[in-house]
Amino acid sequence: QVQLVESGGGLVQDGGSLRLSCAASGRTFSNYHMGWFRQAPGKERDIVAAITWGGSSVYYADSVKGRFTISRDNAKNTVYLQMNSLKPEDTAVYYCAARPIGASGRYYDRGRYDYWGQGTQVTVSS
């Protein structure tokens, strides 16, 4: 298995920026695709961005395209989410998750994201 710990959340003003980090331990980090998801109170957990094991492909939800950037550093066992031009609508708990590279389906599908961090709160004030 792999353990995931998110950090970097906080309170930011409308239009501000934050960078989230997710540190992984356990099995070899490069054996997993990685994703960022978010969940607001009363809402379902939705995908924000995903990245393949080698970083060659990325996916973004339409709501964050052009504002968020996902990246990974396999040497540091860490995945990042750079969030710029933040809006109040981005307020949520953000989770990182890991998907084994051998699992069926697309890397940006929710299915087979088997390992989850505890989440980090992002609050954007208007």
Side-chain angles (χ1 to χ4, degrees):
Q1 77 281 1
V2 60
Q3 295 80 43
L4 306 172
V5 180
E6 304 96 335
S7 63
L11 175 64
V12 65
Q13 290 196 142
D14 190 1
S17 298
L18 286 172
R19 188 174 81 155
L20 306 183
S21 298
C22 177
S25 62
R27 300 291 187 182
T28 303
F29 184 58
S30 59
N31 286 343
Y32 299 91
H33 304 311
M34 299 296 298
W36 284 97
F37 297 76
R38 67 186 181 187
Q39 186 170 25
K43 304 291 186 178
E44 292 190 344
R45 189 174 299 184
D46 295 326
I47 192 166
V48 175
I51 187 167
T52 53
W53 70 273
S56 60
S57 297
V58 295
Y59 167 87
Y60 298 101
D62 288 342
S63 59
V64 306
K65 285 180 180 177
R67 300 188 298 121
F68 291 11
T69 303
I70 189 171
S71 61
R72 67 190 296 163
D73 187 339
N74 288 349
K76 297 181 179 179
N77 291 348
T78 303
V79 62
Y80 306 95
L81 185 68
Q82 178 67 47
M83 304 185 294
N84 298 326
S85 301
L86 282 162
K87 307 173 182 179
E89 307 92 88
D90 297 317
T91 296
V93 177
Y94 284 70
Y95 300 87
C96 66
R99 181 184 187 276
I101 60 174
S104 62
R106 296 165 295 186
Y107 71 94
Y108 50 87
D109 285 344
R110 169 64 178 84
R112 298 304 306 276
Y113 271 98
D114 295 332
Y115 307 102
W116 296 83
Q118 293 298 306
T120 185
Q121 176 71 47
V122 172
T123 302
V124 184
S125 62
S126 59

